[in-house]
Amino acid sequence: MTLGVLAPYRGLGIGTRLLNHVLYLCSKQNISEIYLHVQTNNEDAINFYKKFGFEITETIKKYYTNIDPPRLLCTYKAHRYITS
């Protein structure tokens, strides 16, 4: 699944509401892990997800072939952080 908020709507709380809803649905369906992929230079997204308890678990070099930088961060949120 791909989720995102268009640039003109960022900073209005929409992303927070969207992610809170996803976490709520995960808790109701007993989903125990969530993984995200974020470009290494997307500091806004990295900081946003860290606020929700996501942790960087891996950096994949040369993941992208047509985007600079070509590195990708894998982030992870364990079940113990998912609450309704």
Side-chain angles (χ1 to χ4, degrees), residues 4-19:
V5 177
L6 295 173
Y9 302 100
R10 292 178 191 153
L12 302 176
I14 295 168
T16 298
R17 290 195 307 257
L18 180 62
L19 186 53

Side-chain angles (χ1 to χ4, degrees), residues 6 19 21 34 47 51 54 61 70-71 74 78 82:
L6 295 173
L19 186 53
H21 186 67
I34 299 172
N47 292 329
K51 289 179 189 176
F54 285 86
K61 296 179 180 182
R71 298 173 308 281
C74 294
I82 299 174

Side-chain angles (χ1 to χ4, degrees), residues 1-75:
M1 174 186 312
T2 300
L3 298 173
V5 177
L6 295 173
Y9 302 100
R10 292 178 191 153
L12 302 176
I14 295 168
T16 298
R17 290 195 307 257
L18 180 62
L19 186 53
N20 277 328
H21 186 67
V22 168
L23 296 174
Y24 171 76
L25 293 175
C26 289
S27 71
K28 292 297 182 190
Q29 297 182 28
N30 295 317
I31 294 173
S32 60
E33 299 174 346
I34 299 172
Y35 291 89
L36 298 170
H37 288 175
V38 179
Q39 261 187 283
T40 56
N41 66 338
N42 192 344
E43 291 293 326
D44 289 340
I46 292 166
N47 292 329
F48 174 77
Y49 291 121
K50 281 183 176 181
K51 289 179 189 176
F52 285 87
F54 285 86
E55 299 173 0
I56 297 170
T57 57
E58 182 181 8
T59 300
I60 302 172
K61 296 179 180 182
K62 299 181 182 178
Y63 181 83
Y64 297 112
T65 58
N66 59 350
I67 297 176
D68 189 42
R71 298 173 308 281
L72 174 82
L73 294 178
C74 294
T75 59

